[in-house]
Coordinates of all heavy atoms in Angstrom, one line a residue:
K32 N 2.2 -1.0 -9.1 CA 3.2 0.1 -9.1 C 4.5 -0.3 -8.2 O 5.6 0.1 -8.5 CB 2.6 1.4 -8.6 CG 1.8 2.0 -9.7 CD 1.1 3.3 -9.3 CE 0.2 3.8 -10.3 NZ -0.7 4.8 -9.9
K140 N -11.6 4.4 -2.7 CA -11.1 3.0 -2.3 C -10.7 3.0 -0.9 O -10.3 1.9 -0.4 CB -9.8 2.8 -3.2 CG -9.9 1.7 -4.3 CD -8.5 1.3 -4.8 CE -7.8 2.4 -5.5 NZ -6.7 1.9 -6.3
N162 N -13.5 0.2 -6.6 CA -12.2 -0.5 -6.6 C -11.2 -0.1 -7.5 O -10.1 -0.7 -7.6 CB -12.6 -2.0 -6.8 CG -13.3 -2.5 -5.6 OD1 -12.9 -2.4 -4.4 ND2 -14.5 -3.0 -5.8
G163 N -11.5 0.9 -8.3 CA -10.4 1.5 -9.3 C -11.1 2.5 -10.1 O -12.3 2.8 -10.0
S164 N -10.3 3.3 -10.9 CA -10.8 4.4 -11.7 C -11.7 5.3 -10.9 O -12.8 5.6 -11.3 CB -11.5 3.9 -13.0 OG -10.6 3.0 -13.6
I165 N -11.3 5.7 -9.7 CA -12.1 6.4 -8.8 C -12.6 7.8 -9.4 O -13.7 8.2 -9.2 CB -11.3 6.8 -7.5 CG1 -10.6 5.5 -7.0 CG2 -12.3 7.3 -6.4 CD1 -11.5 4.3 -6.6
E166 N -11.7 8.3 -10.3 CA -12.0 9.6 -10.9 C -13.2 9.6 -11.7 O -13.8 10.7 -11.9 CB -10.8 10.0 -11.8 CG -9.5 10.3 -11.0 CD -8.7 9.0 -10.7 OE1 -9.1 7.9 -11.0 OE2 -7.7 9.1 -10.0
D179 N -8.7 9.9 -3.1 CA -7.8 8.9 -3.9 C -6.4 9.4 -3.8 O -6.1 10.4 -3.3 CB -8.3 8.9 -5.4 CG -7.9 7.7 -6.1 OD1 -7.5 6.7 -5.4 OD2 -7.8 7.7 -7.3
I180 N -5.6 8.5 -4.4 CA -4.1 8.6 -4.4 C -3.7 9.5 -5.6 O -4.2 9.4 -6.7 CB -3.5 7.2 -4.6 CG1 -3.7 6.4 -3.3 CG2 -2.1 7.3 -5.0 CD1 -3.0 7.0 -2.1
V181 N -2.8 10.4 -5.3 CA -2.2 11.2 -6.4 C -0.7 10.9 -6.3 O 0.0 10.9 -5.3 CB -2.4 12.7 -6.2 CG1 -1.6 13.5 -7.2 CG2 -3.9 13.1 -6.3
E182 N -0.2 10.6 -7.5 CA 1.3 10.4 -7.6 C 1.9 11.6 -8.4 O 2.5 12.4 -7.9 CB 1.5 9.1 -8.3 CG 2.6 8.2 -7.6 CD 2.7 7.0 -8.3 OE1 1.7 6.2 -8.4 OE2 3.8 6.7 -8.8
T183 N 1.6 11.6 -9.7 CA 2.1 12.7 -10.6 C 1.1 13.8 -10.8 O 1.5 14.9 -11.1 CB 2.5 12.1 -12.0 OG1 1.2 11.7 -12.5 CG2 3.5 11.0 -11.9
G184 N -0.1 13.6 -10.5 CA -1.2 14.5 -10.7 C -1.8 14.5 -12.1 O -2.7 15.2 -12.4
R185 N -1.3 13.6 -12.9 CA -1.7 13.5 -14.3 C -3.2 13.1 -14.4 O -4.0 13.7 -15.2 CB -0.9 12.5 -15.1 CG -0.1 13.2 -16.2 CD 0.6 12.2 -17.0 NE -0.3 11.4 -17.9 CZ 0.0 10.3 -18.5 NH1 1.2 9.8 -18.4 NH2 -0.8 9.7 -19.3
T186 N -3.6 12.1 -13.6 CA -5.0 11.6 -13.7 C -6.0 12.7 -13.3 O -7.0 12.9 -14.0 CB -5.2 10.3 -12.8 OG1 -4.1 9.4 -13.0 CG2 -6.5 9.6 -13.1
L187 N -5.6 13.4 -12.3 CA -6.5 14.5 -11.8 C -6.7 15.5 -13.0 O -7.8 15.9 -13.3 CB -5.9 15.3 -10.6 CG -6.0 14.6 -9.3 CD1 -5.5 15.6 -8.2 CD2 -7.5 14.3 -8.9
Ligands
PRP315 C1 -3.9 5.4 -8.9 C2 -4.9 6.4 -8.3 C3 -5.1 7.3 -9.5 C4 -3.7 7.3 -10.1 C5 -2.9 8.6 -9.7 O1 -4.6 4.5 -9.7 O2 -6.1 5.7 -8.0 O3 -6.0 6.9 -10.3 O4 -3.0 6.1 -9.7 O5 -1.6 8.6 -10.3 P1 -1.2 10.0 -11.0 O6 -1.3 11.1 -10.0 O7 0.3 9.6 -11.3 O8 -2.0 10.2 -12.3 P2 -4.0 3.1 -10.2 O9 -3.2 3.3 -11.4 O10 -3.4 2.4 -9.1 O11 -5.3 2.3 -10.6 P3 -6.8 2.3 -10.2 O12 -7.4 3.6 -10.7 O13 -7.4 1.2 -11.0 O14 -6.8 2.2 -8.7

Side-chain angles (χ1 to χ4, degrees):
K32 288 177 181 167
K140 248 193 293 195
N162 294 302
S164 305
I165 314 300
E166 294 80 3
D179 199 21
I180 288 299
V181 173
E182 225 179 299
T183 61
R185 244 186 74 195
T186 314
L187 283 186

